[in-house]
Every structure is written in structure tokens, then in C-alpha cells.
Amino acid sequence: MSKQLATIGAFDGATARTSHIGNQELMKNAIPSKGRLHFLDTLRGLAAVYVVLYHMVVMPHPGLDTPVWASKFAHTGGTGVTLFFVVSAFSLFYTMPFRLAKPRPVLSFYLHRFFRIAPLFYVIIIATIIRDHWVFQATHPLSEKLASFLFIFNLLPEGQQGFVWASWTIGVEMLFYAIFPFIYFRTKSIYAAVSWVIGFLLLWQLVQTGLEYLPLTAEQHTAIVQWSVFKHLPIFACGAVAYFVLKGHFEDARESARRELGYMLLLAGAFVYMALLNDWLPNLLGNNYYWQGLVYLLLLIGLCYAPIKSIVNRVTMHLGQISYSVYLIHPTVVYLMIPVYRRIYLHVPTTTLAMLTCFAITLAIVIALAEITYRWVEEPGIKLGSYVYRRWFATPAATEPVLAK
């Protein structure tokens, strides 16, 4: 294991000595000339909106009434997080060649990820501490605060959800980022990507078996089974599979045959999701949760091949850009809006209209606040990360070990 970890760190040195021509060739082969994939932004935006709908419906106690036609869809909006995980892994595989073209690419990767996530999360941590003190007269122990600031709370049996609302996903994401270079350098084909899916499923079964031998309370055991990063690793691996399916085909994704394939995959993804909502699918993988990985893998590939304008457009792409802010801000907005929801449901004649009115108002407020935090926190944080890398780490070290084969 120590040799493997040393291999990851040593990659910076090997890449630092890679010729400029070699780096250019790597970039040419791995990444399309246009760079950014707009459908990924759309998927992030749709995922965030779906999670907002879910929390709007379930956070009030009792939950908001939903019309029959939307009930199952609204109450499974938490699967938007699964879509985030699939898109996240796909995006990391897609953009990693940009890091490889730089000196110390692994360090570049970690700095970029930290400054992309940490600034806004730290602001939300502080806001949460203030909110909980004023609204709930509650305080959080120093250990809990430190675990959140260090992004290690997913490793703690009683703190995996984090005290920041909905932050459990951040704990999972940051641990996945920590091991991603190790995964990336060992995944050269779709066969390796599928192997990660299978391997992570087996690993999770081993972890669950091991939990039975640990002195855990029932609450701790339940929390680990629900929130542990090990449970969600197979979903991330689905994003890797999607990447290798699409690798080399980004530029020709809009050809007529590709579009027809895309439409088919979008319909297939929608059908599997409908089957999942209606309990038509067998439990083949130990948890029907993992069908969500297949659903969103199909939708990701399908939308790449068939970027339907009514779905992939400026509005949804912009929602994707601010999706991180939308995700972290919306729980507090939803909580504060509960009295408003009650009044709307009291005075609006139909359940459908009441739900849609609540959703529209909630989205308007959340998006307005997300615009502010994106411009004033996220963007400066990204720029700060780039500055830190250029200022102190862009020059390769004089002597570094060669990457082990």
C-alpha cells in the first residue's frame, strides 16, 4: 500500500519532466477542443433543482401534500444527489488531462478541488453556527466543527451527516476526491471502470459484514449504512464507466446516428427510473439504490449524444454553474419558508397549483441567493486556488522520483 501511495505522489515528478509536445498530444487525444461540456452543467442544475423539490416536500412536518401525478417523482428527489455523484466522477475523469498538462498535476488537482469546495462550505458552516444559535438556541462542540472544517466527518460514526444541513454529500465527495488520483491512474479502459463498480460493491458488502463485529450502537450502525462513503463508491464508478463509453466521441456526439442513440438512451434511462419508482426492479445488487447509478449513467450518455435544446440551454447550464450554492443554501430557505407553504396550501384551491407555486417561490429565492454566493464566494475561491498554485507550486521541483509503472 505504501508503494501505491508513493506512486501517486511520484506522478508529479514524472509529469514535470514530460515534454511540452507530449503534454499537447495528451490533451489533444483526451479532451475535445471545445473543452467544457454544456450537458454536464445542465445535469448539475437539474440535480440541484430536483433535490430542492424533494426537501421542499419532505422537510415540513407533516410533509406537503403532492398531487398523485407528481407524488412518487417528488418524494424520490433525493436521487438528485446520486446524479451529482455520477456527474462528479465523470467530470473528474474528463478534466484530469488538464491537470496532467501542468507541473505537479496531483497537487494541482487537490488544490483545485479544495478551493472549489472549501470557501463556500466554510461560509455556510459559519452561517449555520449563527443560525443555530439564534433560531434554535443550539451550539455545536468544537470536535464537530473541526470535523466539518477538515472534511472528515463522514469517517465519524455519529457525525456522518454533518451539522450543516445536507452536507453529508460534501463529506462523501471530499473523501472520493482524496482517493481519485489513485483510481484515475489505474483506470485505462471501460473494463477497468466496470471492475471498479464491481470491486466497490464487494468492498461495501465486506464493510457491512465487518460492522457486525464492531461495538456500535444501533444509531451508529444505521448512520454508517446510510451515509458511509463506502456505500456510494459504486455510484461514482458509474461516472467512470460513462466517461469511457464516451471517450473519443465528444466531438462527433451530434452526428445523426449519435443523436438517435442518445434519444434511445434517454428513453431507456427514463424507463428504468419509472421501473425503480414502481418497484418493478429486482434487488440484484444488495440495494436497489444502485439502480440509480444505471439510470443516471444512461441519462448522462444520452444527453451527451442528444443535447435536446429544451433541456440543455442557457438557463439549465447556468443553474449548473451555481448548483453548488443552490444545494448548500436551499435547506435553510426551505425551513424558513414552511409557514409560507402552509398559507399557500390553505388559500390555493388545488394541490398541483399549490405545490408548483411553493416550488416557484422557493427556487426564485434560492437562485437569487445562490447568485450572490457564487459571485462573491465561489468565484473568488476558484481564483484564489489558481493564484496559490501559480504563486507557490507551478514550478516543478528539481528532483522528484519517476512514476512507477
Side-chain angles (χ1 to χ4, degrees), residues 97-134:
F98 285 112
R99 308 294 159 206
L100 302 184
K102 297 183 177 184
R104 301 180 178 179
V106 174
L107 182 59
S108 171
F109 168 80
Y110 283 130
L111 282 174
H112 179 78
R113 288 291 88 200
F114 178 82
F115 282 97
R116 181 67 186 88
I117 299 299
L120 179 62
F121 189 58
Y122 290 164
V123 169
I124 298 298
I125 287 176
I126 295 170
T128 297
I129 293 171
I130 296 172
R131 180 203 65 199
D132 290 353
H133 177 72
W134 284 354

Side-chain angles (χ1 to χ4, degrees), residues 353-374:
L353 185 57
M355 185 191 74
L356 293 178
T357 301
C358 292
F359 189 44
I361 295 173
T362 302
L363 275 185
I365 296 172
V366 169
I367 290 173
L369 294 174
E371 291 284 356
I372 295 172
T373 54
Y374 179 75

Side-chain angles (χ1 to χ4, degrees), residues 165-231:
W165 289 351
S167 67
W168 72 269
T169 61
I170 309 302
V172 170
E173 284 272 4
M174 292 300 278
L175 292 179
F176 177 69
Y177 294 160
I179 65 172
F180 175 74
F182 178 88
I183 296 171
Y184 179 83
F185 297 139
R186 284 156 181 78
T187 311
K188 305 299 183 183
S189 68
I190 191 171
Y191 306 111
V194 172
S195 296
W196 282 116
V197 176
I198 299 170
F200 284 143
L201 286 170
L202 292 171
L203 176 62
W204 176 230
Q205 291 305 309
L206 289 174
V207 169
Q208 291 183 89
T209 301
L211 292 178
E212 303 301 327
Y213 297 92
L214 298 178
L216 300 171
T217 66
E219 291 77 11
Q220 290 173 332
H221 184 277
T222 300
I224 293 173
V225 171
Q226 178 66 25
W227 311 111
S228 173
V229 64
F230 294 103
K231 174 184 178 180

Side-chain angles (χ1 to χ4, degrees), residues 239-385:
V241 173
Y243 169 77
F244 281 99
V245 170
L246 291 171
K247 185 179 179 182
H249 300 290
F250 296 111
E251 294 293 350
D252 60 351
R254 295 189 180 184
E255 293 179 0
S256 177
R258 298 287 183 186
R259 286 200 302 273
E260 292 175 0
L261 175 59
Y263 296 143
M264 183 193 75
L265 293 174
L266 288 172
L267 290 173
F271 178 82
V272 176
Y273 193 48
M274 179 182 68
L276 183 61
L277 295 185
N278 289 282
D279 296 321
W280 297 346
L281 301 176
N283 185 8
L284 298 177
L285 303 175
N287 191 330
N288 277 343
Y289 165 63
Y290 295 115
W291 283 110
Q292 298 174 26
L294 175 61
V295 168
Y296 290 125
L297 181 153
L298 292 172
L299 294 180
L300 188 154
I301 298 172
L303 204 60
C304 177
Y305 285 152
I308 303 169
K309 290 185 179 179
S310 59
I311 300 176
V312 182
N313 51 59
R314 291 183 178 181
V315 174
T316 57
M317 288 188 294
H318 184 67
L319 281 173
Q321 289 181 321
I322 64 173
S323 59
Y324 181 39
S325 283
V326 168
Y327 180 79
L328 284 182
I329 288 172
H330 85 272
T332 297
V333 173
V334 168
Y335 175 80
L336 295 175
M337 287 287 292
I338 289 176
V340 178
Y341 299 154
R342 300 298 187 201
R343 292 182 64 85
I344 290 173
Y345 268 76
L346 185 64
H347 293 92
V348 173
T350 68
T351 303
T352 294
L353 185 57
M355 185 191 74
L356 293 178
T357 301
C358 292
F359 189 44
I361 295 173
T362 302
L363 275 185
I365 296 172
V366 169
I367 290 173
L369 294 174
E371 291 284 356
I372 295 172
T373 54
Y374 179 75
R375 301 299 179 190
W376 291 95
V377 181
E378 290 190 64
E379 283 191 329
I382 295 170
K383 292 177 181 178
L384 177 61

